[in-house]
Amino acid sequence: MKFFIHTFGCQANKADSERIAGDYTARGYTEVMSWKKADEIVINTCSVRQSAEDRVKGLLNNIQNYIVAQHKRKPKIILTGCMTHFTNEKILKKLAYVDEVLPIGEVGFNTPSIRRDKVNAWIPISLGCNSFCTYCIVPFSRGREQSRPFDDIVNEAKQLAADGYTEITLLGMNVNSYGLEKVGVSLRKMLLNLDKPFTDVELPTNQSQYQSAKGIPPFVTLLRAISAIPEIKIIRFLTSNPWDFHDELIEEIAHNPKIDRYLHLPIQSGSNRILKLMNRGYTREDYLRVVQKIRAKIPNVVIGTDIIVGFPTETDADFQETVDFSKKIDWKIAFVARYSERPGTAAARLYPDDVSDQEKKRRWDILDQIINKDNMAVRPFVITSV
Ligand code: SF4
C-alpha cells in the first residue's frame, strides 16, 4: 500500500506530517511523491486564512477530476490539520470526497518521525494554545495548550544527535510558555510580571514532568538540557510570544552560544486599540520594553515579527501607528498577513470585516516595502504559524 501526504501551512503542520509519515511507514506503507500513485492521500490542512482553505478545496477538486477522467480507483482521502476543527460530520458533508477526518490531537507527540531534512530536526514541545487571540482559530483547531514531558523531548534530541542531526528547532504555538499551561494565573498576567524575577511566578506543585524549578522558567531548563548534548550545535525555537519572554530566557540566550541569534516575536499590530481588540494582552510599550531588554543583553540578535493588516475597524491612523512602530523597532523581517475572517473565532462573531481588500493590499504593500525590502533572505526557514 502506498501513501502520499500533502502539507499546507506552518512548521507545526510539517512536523505533524513527519510523524504521520512515521506512523504509515511503521504500518508497512510506502511513501510516494505523487498523489496520483497513492492508495491513501493525507491532506494536512491549514485554515489560518481563507486562501489556505481554498487551496485544500482546489486540491480535492483536482484529485476528483483526475480520478473521474482517468477512470482510476478512488484512493482513500484523509483530512487532518486545522480545518478539522469543524465537527467531522460537517466536514464530510461539505467535502464529500473526504473519507475520514483525523483530528490533529490524535497525532501523538511520540510517533517516530520520517524527517525530510538531514541537518535540522523539528521537535514539537507543546501542542495547542490557551491564548485566544480573537482572530485565531488555533485554540479551536488544535485545542488547549499541552506541553510534552521534559524527558521525552530530551531523549528525542539525544537520539537525533546520535543519528547525525546538529540543529534542533523546538516548536510550539507558544513555545516559550512550555510547561506553564497549568499555572493558575493567566499567562497574560505574567506579561505584567516581566519586570519581576521569575521566582515571583507561582508554579503549581504538579509540574515535575516539565522539570520546573523555582525561579527558572521550564523552557529555560529545557534549552539548557538540549544544549548539553555535545553534537547539537544550533538550537532554534518558534513561535515565541512577548508575554513569556522573561529575563531568565533573555539571559539564557545571551550566555548560550548554541541558541540561534534570530528571534521571532510577533507583534500583530502597532496600535494599542487594535492589540486590545485582538486580545493580545500587551501594549506596544510592553513589546518595546521586551525588545529593548533583548537588544541590551544580546547585541548581535536579529528580530523578526508577524503583523496583521486590515483587522476589523483598523483605521488609517491605527495603521500609521504600526508603520511608525515598524520604523522604531526595525525588524529584519516581517510576515505581513491581510486579515481574513475565520468562522468560529471571537473576531468573526464580534467585529465586522470592514476594511476593503484593496485597502488591506495597500497596507500590506507599505509594510512589506518598509520592513522586508532588503531582508527577505534573513531567515528563509521561518514560516510563521498564524
Ligand atoms: S495567535 Fe498564537 S498565541 Fe494567539 S491564539 Fe493563535 S496560536 Fe495562540
Side-chain angles (χ1 to χ4, degrees):
M1 291 285 278
K2 300 187 181 86
F3 74 97
F4 173 84
I5 305 179
H6 192 111
T7 310
F8 292 91
C10 64
Q11 276 92 348
N13 268 17
K14 286 179 191 155
D16 288 341
S17 288
E18 290 185 343
R19 297 203 304 286
I20 294 168
D23 178 60
Y24 266 97
T25 308
R27 286 189 282 129
Y29 282 68
T30 307
E31 186 166 15
V32 288
M33 292 303 138
S34 163
W35 52 258
K36 293 178 182 167
K37 296 183 181 149
D39 303 295
E40 294 197 15
I41 300 173
V42 179
I43 306 178
N44 195 353
T45 60
C46 170
S47 58
V48 72
R49 280 182 276 284
Q50 183 58 46
S51 55
E53 286 196 8
D54 292 344
R55 285 204 297 278
V56 170
K57 288 171 193 161
L59 174 63
L60 282 167
N61 281 342
N62 287 347
I63 295 172
Q64 187 164 15
N65 293 341
Y66 174 81
I67 301 297
V68 171
Q70 302 289 322
H71 307 291
K72 296 273 185 190
R73 191 167 59 88
K74 181 187 171 307
K76 182 174 177 185
I77 298 183
I78 299 148
L79 209 70
T80 187
C82 285
M83 273 173 78
T84 61
H85 64 279
F86 300 113
T87 65
N88 292 1
E89 273 163 40
K90 265 194 194 160
I91 287 197
L92 289 171
K93 216 185 254 175
K94 263 171 77 178
L95 304 170
Y97 217 56
V98 172
D99 298 288
E100 195 179 309
V101 175
L102 173 71
I104 200 62
E106 289 180 19
V107 184
F109 276 128
N110 289 335
T111 310
S113 299
I114 301 287
R115 298 180 187 275
R116 315 286 180 223
D117 197 313
K118 296 294 169 218
V119 178
N120 171 66
W122 312 103
I123 303 186
I125 67 165
S126 59
L127 299 175
C129 183
N130 290 344
S131 294
F132 289 94
C133 302
T134 55
Y135 53 83
C136 183
I137 202 71
V138 166
F140 308 100
S141 60
R142 290 181 170 265
R144 300 300 167 272
E145 204 160 316
Q146 183 200 340
S147 295
R148 185 178 177 193
F150 185 93
D151 288 344
D152 290 359
I153 301 169
V154 176
N155 287 340
E156 185 171 353
K158 283 181 182 163
Q159 185 56 52
L160 287 162
D163 292 345
Y165 286 87
T166 54
E167 301 181 12
I168 296 284
T169 303
L170 303 175
L171 292 180
M173 294 297 162
N174 270 323
V175 75
N176 51 343
S177 75
Y178 171 75
L180 294 177
E181 67 265 21
K182 292 195 177 70
V183 171
V185 291
S186 101
L187 292 180
R188 301 307 172 80
K189 268 197 184 159
M190 290 172 64
L191 171 73
L192 307 174
N193 287 335
L194 279 175
D195 284 331
K196 295 181 186 171
F198 193 77
T199 0
D200 289 356
V201 175
E202 277 298 313
L203 287 174
T205 49
N206 59 347
Q207 294 283 93
S208 59
Q209 61 175 340
Y210 308 138
Q211 305 240 338
S212 300
K214 184 102 178 127
I216 305 170
F219 185 57
V220 170
T221 318
L222 183 65
L223 287 173
R224 288 180 187 164
I226 294 176
S227 305
I229 304 169
E231 297 86 353
I232 300 299
K233 305 295 182 206
I234 299 177
I235 303 167
R236 304 184 183 95
F237 49 87
L238 284 174
T239 293
S240 307
N241 278 307
W243 52 86
D244 279 315
F245 230 102
H246 297 279
D247 289 357
E248 291 77 4
L249 175 56
I250 299 173
E251 288 289 340
E252 179 62 24
I253 301 168
H255 294 108
N256 185 336
K258 289 192 175 181
I259 300 178
D260 193 53
R261 266 39 195 158
Y262 176 80
L263 296 179
H264 198 76
L265 203 58
I267 175 86
Q268 305 301 8
S269 172
S271 151
N272 283 343
R273 190 183 75 82
I274 296 295
L275 285 173
K276 198 160 187 209
L277 293 183
M278 288 175 163
N279 190 33
R280 290 292 288 179
Y282 53 82
T283 61
R284 56 192 265 148
E285 291 76 20
D286 292 325
Y287 185 96
L288 180 64
R289 228 171 47 239
V290 174
V291 167
Q292 283 171 338
K293 279 191 205 175
I294 291 173
R295 286 193 169 143
K297 294 279 181 184
I298 315 165
N300 54 347
V301 73
V302 174
I303 300 178
T305 199
D306 298 339
I307 300 174
I308 296 172
V309 293
F311 188 82
T313 78
E314 185 187 67
T315 61
D316 211 38
D318 292 318
F319 175 65
Q320 198 51 48
E321 289 193 49
T322 303
V323 169
D324 295 343
F325 201 61
S326 302
K327 290 177 182 163
K328 187 169 186 150
I329 295 280
D330 192 24
W331 290 292
K332 282 293 169 263
I333 192 168
F335 291 86
V336 185
R338 287 173 258 176
Y339 174 76
S340 165
E341 190 176 276
R342 303 288 65 222
T345 59
R349 284 199 310 277
L350 298 173
Y351 315 129
D353 184 6
D354 58 357
V355 180
S356 70
D357 288 347
Q358 200 185 6
E359 182 58 19
K360 285 175 187 166
K361 169 85 171 70
R362 189 187 74 84
R363 293 177 191 179
W364 187 95
D365 283 339
I366 291 171
L367 282 184
D368 190 54
Q369 187 58 26
I370 291 172
I371 305 170
N372 292 330
K373 58 183 183 312
D374 306 319
N375 300 326
M376 276 317 277
V378 173
R379 281 294 187 276
F381 76 91
V382 181
I383 303 166
T384 55
S385 47
V386 285

